[in-house]
Amino acid sequence: MGETIKIAGADGFEFSAYHEPSFTPRKGGVIVIQEIFGLDEYVRADVERWAKMGYEAIAPAMFDRREPGFLAKHDPDGIKAGVAHAMGTPLDQAMGDIAACRNFLKTRGDKVCVVGYCYGGSLAWLAAAKVEGLAAASSYYGSMVQANAAAALLCPTIVHLGRTDTGIPADDVAKAVAEHHPKVPVHIYEGAGHGFNNQSPERYNAEAADLARHRTLELFDKA
């Protein structure tokens, strides 16, 4: 069963994190980085999925310094609140919290990977460039990937994008990544929009989510 624990960030602040040990023999650890909505039921479900696939999983509450326990609905007010928290969270602080999760998982085994969705997809890409000691990274529909495509990656990385995502131009992102990292796979899922891994009825695309997870699992298992 998953549980909420506390982890000390680089600045000493203790933030919450949702943690679940691996269900099967442990392959490694995975840091699951949230969307803008906080550690909601969909993030916790994703943590459980990774635990069932053999990875001890932990999802840090990225907005705890601004609003402890923040949760938002997938509606205009929730999006507005989540975006405000994301924009108000310094990237160096976010990288420090991801590094703290890496340290937590490293004490329990060598391999630590990172996966992130939406806001977390951007952070996963940036962590691949800024957080040492990660074995692999998987970025789902992160809006900051294109602007940071030139970042020097420290670990094998994969990118997932939805073709019908109105906020992220998939072809432009793929072109930017290919220019700087021709060996980094950028997968574009036809018929899938933003948030296709999230199991909320208005966003979920099961076919795209399953294929992207299979590709991510393959990357993590090889790392």
Side-chain angles (χ1 to χ4, degrees), residues 14-201:
E14 288 194 339
F15 57 86
S16 298
Y18 188 72
H19 169 254
E20 190 144 6
S22 60
F23 283 45
T24 59
R26 190 183 189 278
K27 298 177 182 178
V30 61
I31 304 164
V32 178
I33 312 181
Q34 64 176 68
E35 299 178 310
I36 60 171
F37 305 103
L39 301 188
D40 60 14
E41 61 186 293
Y42 306 112
V43 176
R44 296 195 300 271
D46 204 70
V47 167
E48 183 176 341
R49 279 193 292 270
W50 284 107
K52 287 180 177 178
M53 291 186 287
Y55 285 87
E56 180 179 7
I58 186 167
M62 303 305 296
F63 303 152
D64 257 11
R65 289 173 184 78
R66 293 174 55 86
E67 185 178 340
F70 171 76
L71 288 174
K73 295 181 179 180
H74 296 183
D75 58 19
D77 287 341
I79 293 170
K80 181 179 179 180
V83 168
H85 283 321
M87 294 182 66
T89 299
L91 288 176
D92 286 347
Q93 175 185 294
M95 294 299 106
D97 288 351
I98 293 169
C101 292
R102 173 208 59 198
N103 294 343
F104 172 84
L105 291 168
K106 280 272 190 182
T107 65
R108 306 151 84 83
D110 288 338
K111 182 167 72 172
V112 179
C113 303
V114 61
V115 61
Y117 310 92
C118 182
Y119 170 64
S122 293
L123 295 187
W125 176 267
L126 292 169
K130 295 176 179 291
V131 178
E132 296 182 354
L134 295 175
S138 181
S139 168
Y140 284 68
Y141 32 83
S143 63
M144 290 188 276
V145 173
Q146 183 177 357
N148 292 277
L153 302 176
L154 303 174
C155 64
T157 303
I158 192 171
V159 176
H160 310 282
L161 303 167
R163 171 64 72 192
T164 64
D165 188 335
T166 57
I168 299 175
D171 289 330
D172 292 347
V173 177
K175 181 179 178 181
V177 172
E179 180 180 350
H180 298 284
H181 303 285
K183 294 184 179 180
V184 170
V186 178
H187 297 289
I188 300 174
Y189 298 84
E190 302 297 333
H194 191 77
F196 65 74
N197 184 73
N198 188 301
Q199 289 183 307
S200 56

